[in-house]
Amino acid sequence: PPALLHLPLQQTHEEVFEPDSVSEAPLVRFAAYASHHRIFGWVRLRADRLTDLLNVHDELLLSDVEIEDLDDGTRRRSESSRVAIRDLLAVQASGPRGDDALRHRTRAHAIVIRAGSYLIAGHLHVHPGADPLESLQRRPAMVPLTDAWLEYWPDGSPRRHGVGTIIVNRGAADTIDLVTDDDLVDGSLRPL
């Protein structure tokens, strides 16, 4: 159904060594974060921006996945995992940047989002002069942050992933706060 986005994942990044072989799209690292687990692997992303794809679908079907339980750190493989987009807290994947003709001049604002046991921080890009938090609330649910990192505490000790760009679900956030750029790097931010 059109409301379902299917992404087949691969467990490892496999290089192609045949000189005449050309991949249709590069493999990029993918991770979807839900409240108590992380689903991850490698995916081939086409020309569409992942943010746009997530905002027009209701569910995500991931096949050939690895799932990490964030409470105890155990990992398991599964043939498929189906998750509602609204239940995702964040999605990480590099890949195409989208059409340059659709880009606008923006100003970056440092923000921190607390969602469950996650702390997600990065830069939100808004039009110059716009209020960043009001702009965020007017956007579709899934919003990209740049120069981002994500942190969680599965066993009481922090695990931080520097992710570059991460797509956050603003509807799943417990709190969203403007911070300084220094706050993003000094390690003083903590989840609720």
Side-chain angles (χ1 to χ4, degrees):
L4 180 68
L5 173 60
H6 180 223
L7 292 177
L9 300 184
Q10 296 181 19
Q11 292 305 311
T12 58
H13 180 85
E14 297 178 6
E15 295 290 337
V16 177
F17 295 103
E18 299 174 22
D20 295 333
S21 176
V22 177
S23 174
E24 57 191 74
L27 276 173
V28 296
R29 187 179 308 275
F30 175 91
Y33 296 88
S35 57
H36 296 285
H37 62 279
R38 175 175 73 109
I39 306 165
F40 60 98
W42 293 84
V43 65
R44 291 195 190 280
L45 287 178
R46 308 291 187 257
D48 294 312
R49 289 187 335 155
L50 184 59
T51 302
D52 297 336
L53 291 173
L54 293 171
N55 278 319
V56 298
H57 291 87
D58 298 325
E59 288 185 283
L60 186 59
L61 174 62
L62 301 167
S63 58
D64 194 19
V65 298
E66 192 163 344
I67 301 171
E68 178 186 18
D69 184 304
L70 297 181
D71 295 324
D72 62 15
T74 59
R75 291 183 178 186
R76 64 182 170 84
R77 291 181 186 236
S78 177
E79 286 185 22
S80 67
S81 180
R82 194 169 177 160
V83 61
I85 301 290
R86 71 178 177 276
D87 293 337
L88 292 175
L89 303 177
V91 175
Q92 169 198 352
S94 54
R97 291 188 47 168
D99 187 350
D100 285 335
L102 300 176
R103 295 197 181 287
H104 303 283
R105 190 170 65 93
T106 61
R107 180 168 180 249
H109 296 271
I111 68 167
V112 63
I113 296 174
R114 291 171 177 89
S117 59
Y118 293 95
L119 185 66
I120 306 162
H123 289 98
L124 174 69
H125 293 260
V126 300
H127 293 292
D131 180 279
L133 296 179
E134 285 180 18
S135 175
L136 180 66
Q137 292 305 319
R138 288 193 305 267
R139 292 186 187 184
M142 303 301 282
V143 179
L145 300 180
T146 61
D147 303 318
W149 52 261
L150 178 140
E151 192 170 274
Y152 55 95
W153 285 259
D155 54 6
S157 60
R159 288 193 194 167
R160 181 182 284 203
H161 297 276
V163 295
T165 298
I166 193 163
I167 303 163
V168 295
N169 183 349
R170 65 169 175 77
D174 296 318
T175 65
I176 301 172
D177 297 301
L178 288 174
V179 295
T180 68
D181 284 333
D182 290 339
D183 291 331
L184 294 185
V185 296
D186 73 4
S188 64
L189 299 172
R190 291 288 175 258
L192 297 174

Coordinates of all heavy atoms in Angstrom, one line a residue, residues 136-188:
L136 N 9.6 24.9 13.6 CA 9.6 23.4 13.8 C 8.2 22.9 14.0 O 7.9 21.8 13.4 CB 10.5 23.1 15.1 CG 10.6 21.6 15.5 CD1 11.4 20.8 14.4 CD2 11.2 21.5 16.8
Q137 N 7.4 23.6 14.7 CA 6.0 23.1 14.9 C 5.2 23.1 13.7 O 4.2 22.4 13.6 CB 5.3 23.9 16.1 CG 6.0 23.6 17.4 CD 6.0 22.2 17.8 OE1 5.0 21.4 17.6 NE2 7.1 21.7 18.4
R138 N 5.5 24.0 12.7 CA 4.7 24.1 11.5 C 5.2 23.0 10.4 O 4.5 22.9 9.4 CB 4.9 25.5 10.9 CG 4.1 26.5 11.7 CD 4.0 27.8 10.9 NE 5.3 28.4 10.5 CZ 6.0 29.2 11.2 NH1 5.6 29.7 12.3 NH2 7.2 29.7 10.7
R139 N 6.2 22.3 10.7 CA 6.8 21.4 9.7 C 6.1 20.0 9.9 O 5.5 19.7 10.9 CB 8.3 21.2 9.9 CG 9.1 22.4 9.5 CD 10.5 22.1 9.6 NE 11.3 23.3 9.5 CZ 12.6 23.2 9.4 NH1 13.3 22.1 9.6 NH2 13.3 24.3 9.3
P140 N 6.2 19.2 8.8 CA 5.8 17.8 9.0 C 6.5 17.1 10.2 O 7.6 17.7 10.6 CB 6.2 17.1 7.7 CG 6.2 18.2 6.7 CD 6.7 19.4 7.5
A141 N 6.0 16.0 10.6 CA 6.6 15.4 11.9 C 8.0 15.1 11.8 O 8.8 15.3 12.8 CB 5.8 14.1 12.2
M142 N 8.5 14.5 10.7 CA 9.9 14.1 10.6 C 10.8 15.3 10.1 O 10.6 15.8 9.0 CB 10.1 12.9 9.8 CG 9.2 11.7 10.2 SD 9.6 11.1 11.9 CE 11.0 10.2 11.6
V143 N 11.7 15.7 10.9 CA 12.5 16.9 10.7 C 14.0 16.6 10.8 O 14.5 16.0 11.7 CB 12.2 18.0 11.7 CG1 13.0 19.3 11.4 CG2 10.7 18.3 11.6
P144 N 14.8 17.0 9.8 CA 16.3 16.7 9.8 C 17.0 17.7 10.7 O 16.7 18.9 10.8 CB 16.7 16.9 8.4 CG 15.7 17.8 7.8 CD 14.4 17.6 8.5
L145 N 18.0 17.2 11.4 CA 19.0 18.0 12.2 C 20.4 17.7 11.6 O 20.7 16.6 11.3 CB 19.0 17.7 13.6 CG 17.7 17.9 14.4 CD1 17.9 17.5 15.9 CD2 17.2 19.3 14.3
T146 N 21.2 18.7 11.5 CA 22.6 18.5 10.9 C 23.6 18.6 12.1 O 23.2 19.1 13.2 CB 22.9 19.5 9.9 OG1 22.8 20.8 10.4 CG2 22.0 19.4 8.7
D147 N 24.8 18.1 11.8 CA 25.8 18.1 12.9 C 25.3 17.5 14.1 O 25.6 18.0 15.2 CB 26.4 19.5 13.1 CG 26.9 20.1 11.9 OD1 27.6 19.4 11.1 OD2 26.7 21.3 11.6
A148 N 24.5 16.4 14.0 CA 23.8 15.9 15.1 C 24.5 14.7 15.8 O 25.3 14.1 15.2 CB 22.4 15.4 14.6
W149 N 24.0 14.5 17.0 CA 24.4 13.3 17.8 C 23.2 12.8 18.6 O 22.3 13.5 18.8 CB 25.6 13.5 18.6 CG 25.6 14.7 19.6 CD1 26.2 15.9 19.4 CD2 25.0 14.7 20.9 NE1 25.9 16.7 20.5 CE2 25.2 16.0 21.4 CE3 24.2 13.8 21.6 CZ2 24.7 16.4 22.6 CZ3 23.7 14.3 22.9 CH2 24.0 15.5 23.4
L150 N 23.3 11.5 18.9 CA 22.2 10.9 19.7 C 22.8 10.1 20.8 O 23.9 9.5 20.6 CB 21.4 9.9 18.7 CG 20.3 9.1 19.3 CD1 19.2 9.0 18.4 CD2 20.8 7.7 19.7
E151 N 22.2 10.2 22.0 CA 22.8 9.6 23.2 C 21.7 8.8 23.9 O 20.6 9.3 24.0 CB 23.5 10.6 24.1 CG 24.3 10.0 25.2 CD 25.1 11.1 25.8 OE1 26.3 11.4 25.3 OE2 24.7 11.7 26.8
Y152 N 22.0 7.7 24.4 CA 21.1 6.9 25.3 C 21.8 6.1 26.3 O 23.1 6.0 26.2 CB 20.2 6.0 24.4 CG 20.9 5.0 23.5 CD1 21.1 3.7 23.9 CD2 21.3 5.4 22.3 CE1 21.8 2.8 23.1 CE2 22.0 4.5 21.4 CZ 22.2 3.2 21.9 OH 22.9 2.4 21.0
W153 N 21.2 5.7 27.3 CA 21.8 5.0 28.5 C 21.2 3.6 28.7 O 20.4 3.4 29.6 CB 21.5 5.9 29.7 CG 22.3 7.1 29.8 CD1 23.4 7.3 30.6 CD2 22.1 8.4 29.1 NE1 23.9 8.6 30.4 CE2 23.1 9.2 29.5 CE3 21.1 8.8 28.2 CZ2 23.2 10.5 29.0 CZ3 21.2 10.0 27.7 CH2 22.2 10.9 28.1
P154 N 21.6 2.6 27.9 CA 21.0 1.3 28.0 C 21.4 0.6 29.4 O 20.5 -0.1 29.9 CB 21.6 0.6 26.9 CG 22.9 1.3 26.5 CD 22.7 2.7 26.9
D155 N 22.5 0.8 29.9 CA 22.9 0.1 31.1 C 23.4 1.1 32.2 O 24.2 0.8 33.1 CB 24.0 -0.9 30.8 CG 25.2 -0.3 30.1 OD1 25.2 1.0 29.9 OD2 26.1 -1.0 29.7
G156 N 22.9 2.3 32.1 CA 23.3 3.3 33.1 C 24.5 4.2 32.6 O 24.8 5.2 33.2
S157 N 25.2 3.7 31.6 CA 26.3 4.5 31.1 C 26.0 5.0 29.7 O 25.3 4.3 28.9 CB 27.6 3.6 31.0 OG 27.4 2.5 30.2
P158 N 26.4 6.2 29.4 CA 26.0 6.8 28.1 C 26.6 6.2 26.9 O 27.8 5.8 26.9 CB 26.4 8.3 28.3 CG 27.6 8.2 29.2 CD 27.3 7.1 30.1
R159 N 25.8 6.1 25.8 CA 26.3 5.7 24.5 C 26.0 6.8 23.6 O 24.8 7.1 23.4 CB 25.7 4.4 24.0 CG 26.2 3.2 24.7 CD 25.7 1.9 24.0 NE 25.9 0.8 24.9 CZ 25.4 -0.4 24.7 NH1 24.7 -0.6 23.6 NH2 25.6 -1.4 25.5
R160 N 27.0 7.4 23.0 CA 26.7 8.5 22.1 C 27.2 8.1 20.7 O 28.2 7.6 20.5 CB 27.5 9.8 22.5 CG 27.3 10.9 21.6 CD 28.0 12.2 22.0 NE 27.4 12.8 23.1 CZ 27.6 14.1 23.4 NH1 28.4 14.8 22.7 NH2 27.1 14.6 24.5
H161 N 26.3 8.4 19.7 CA 26.6 8.2 18.3 C 26.6 9.6 17.6 O 25.6 10.3 17.6 CB 25.5 7.3 17.7 CG 25.4 6.0 18.2 ND1 26.2 4.9 17.8 CD2 24.6 5.4 19.2 CE1 25.8 3.8 18.5 NE2 24.9 4.1 19.3
G162 N 27.7 9.9 17.1 CA 27.7 11.1 16.2 C 27.2 10.7 14.9 O 27.7 9.7 14.2
V163 N 26.1 11.3 14.4 CA 25.4 10.8 13.3 C 25.4 11.7 12.1 O 24.9 11.4 11.0 CB 23.9 10.4 13.6 CG1 23.9 9.3 14.6 CG2 23.2 11.6 14.2
G164 N 26.0 12.9 12.2 CA 25.9 13.8 11.0 C 24.6 14.4 10.9 O 24.2 15.4 11.5
T165 N 23.7 13.8 10.1 CA 22.3 14.2 9.9 C 21.4 13.2 10.5 O 21.6 12.0 10.2 CB 22.0 14.5 8.5 OG1 22.8 15.5 8.0 CG2 20.5 14.9 8.3
I166 N 20.5 13.6 11.3 CA 19.5 12.7 11.8 C 18.1 13.3 11.6 O 17.9 14.5 11.7 CB 19.7 12.3 13.3 CG1 18.9 11.1 13.8 CG2 19.5 13.6 14.2 CD1 19.4 10.5 15.1
I167 N 17.1 12.4 11.4 CA 15.8 12.9 11.2 C 15.0 12.5 12.5 O 15.0 11.4 12.9 CB 15.1 12.1 10.0 CG1 15.9 12.4 8.7 CG2 13.7 12.6 9.8 CD1 15.7 11.4 7.6
V168 N 14.5 13.6 13.1 CA 13.8 13.4 14.4 C 12.3 13.5 14.2 O 11.8 14.2 13.4 CB 14.3 14.4 15.5 CG1 15.8 14.1 15.8 CG2 14.1 15.8 15.1
N169 N 11.6 12.8 15.1 CA 10.1 12.9 15.1 C 9.7 13.9 16.1 O 9.7 13.6 17.3 CB 9.5 11.5 15.4 CG 8.0 11.5 15.3 OD1 7.4 12.5 15.3 ND2 7.5 10.3 15.4
R170 N 9.4 15.1 15.7 CA 9.1 16.1 16.7 C 7.8 15.8 17.5 O 7.7 16.2 18.6 CB 8.9 17.5 16.0 CG 7.8 17.6 15.0 CD 7.5 19.0 14.6 NE 6.5 19.1 13.6 CZ 5.2 19.0 13.9 NH1 4.8 18.8 15.1 NH2 4.3 19.0 12.9
G171 N 6.9 15.0 16.9 CA 5.7 14.6 17.6 C 6.0 13.6 18.8 O 5.2 13.5 19.6
A172 N 7.1 12.9 18.8 CA 7.5 12.0 19.8 C 8.4 12.6 20.9 O 8.7 11.9 21.9 CB 8.2 10.8 19.2
A173 N 8.7 13.9 20.8 CA 9.6 14.5 21.7 C 8.9 14.8 23.0 O 7.7 15.3 23.0 CB 10.1 15.8 21.1
D174 N 9.6 14.6 24.1 CA 9.1 15.0 25.4 C 9.3 16.5 25.6 O 8.5 17.2 26.2 CB 9.8 14.2 26.6 CG 9.4 12.7 26.5 OD1 8.2 12.4 26.2 OD2 10.3 11.9 26.7
T175 N 10.5 17.0 25.3 CA 10.9 18.4 25.3 C 11.7 18.7 24.1 O 12.5 17.9 23.6 CB 11.7 18.7 26.6 OG1 12.9 18.1 26.6 CG2 10.9 18.4 27.8
I176 N 11.6 20.0 23.7 CA 12.5 20.5 22.6 C 13.0 21.9 23.1 O 12.1 22.7 23.4 CB 11.7 20.7 21.3 CG1 11.2 19.4 20.8 CG2 12.6 21.3 20.2 CD1 10.2 19.5 19.6
D177 N 14.3 22.1 23.2 CA 14.8 23.3 23.7 C 15.9 23.9 22.8 O 16.7 23.1 22.3 CB 15.4 23.1 25.1 CG 14.4 22.6 26.1 OD1 13.4 23.4 26.3 OD2 14.6 21.5 26.7
L178 N 15.9 25.2 22.7 CA 17.1 25.9 22.1 C 18.2 25.9 23.1 O 18.0 26.0 24.3 CB 16.7 27.3 21.8 CG 15.7 27.5 20.6 CD1 15.4 29.0 20.5 CD2 16.4 27.1 19.3
V179 N 19.4 25.6 22.6 CA 20.6 25.6 23.4 C 21.7 26.4 22.7 O 21.5 26.9 21.6 CB 21.1 24.2 23.7 CG1 20.1 23.4 24.6 CG2 21.4 23.4 22.5
T180 N 22.9 26.5 23.3 CA 24.0 27.1 22.6 C 24.8 26.1 21.8 O 24.7 24.9 22.2 CB 24.9 27.9 23.6 OG1 25.6 26.9 24.4 CG2 24.1 28.8 24.4
D181 N 25.6 26.5 20.9 CA 26.5 25.6 20.2 C 27.5 24.9 21.2 O 27.8 23.7 21.1 CB 27.3 26.3 19.2 CG 26.5 26.6 17.9 OD1 25.5 25.8 17.7 OD2 26.8 27.5 17.2
D182 N 27.9 25.6 22.3 CA 28.8 25.1 23.3 C 28.1 23.9 24.0 O 28.7 22.9 24.4 CB 29.2 26.1 24.3 CG 30.2 27.1 23.7 OD1 30.8 26.8 22.7 OD2 30.3 28.2 24.2
D183 N 26.7 24.0 24.3 CA 26.0 23.0 25.0 C 26.0 21.7 24.2 O 26.0 20.6 24.7 CB 24.5 23.4 25.1 CG 24.3 24.5 26.1 OD1 25.2 24.6 27.1 OD2 23.3 25.3 26.0
L184 N 26.1 21.8 22.9 CA 26.1 20.6 22.0 C 27.4 19.8 22.2 O 27.4 18.6 21.9 CB 25.9 20.9 20.5 CG 24.6 21.5 20.1 CD1 24.5 21.7 18.6 CD2 23.4 20.7 20.6
V185 N 28.5 20.4 22.5 CA 29.8 19.7 22.6 C 30.3 19.5 24.0 O 31.3 18.7 24.1 CB 30.8 20.5 21.7 CG1 30.4 20.5 20.3 CG2 31.1 21.9 22.2
D186 N 29.8 20.1 25.0 CA 30.5 20.0 26.3 C 30.1 18.8 27.1 O 30.6 18.6 28.2 CB 30.3 21.3 27.1 CG 28.9 21.5 27.7 OD1 28.1 20.6 27.5 OD2 28.7 22.6 28.3
G187 N 29.1 18.0 26.7 CA 28.7 16.8 27.4 C 27.8 17.1 28.6 O 27.6 16.1 29.4
S188 N 27.3 18.3 28.9 CA 26.5 18.5 30.1 C 25.0 18.2 29.9 O 24.3 18.2 30.9 CB 26.7 20.0 30.5 OG 26.2 20.9 29.5

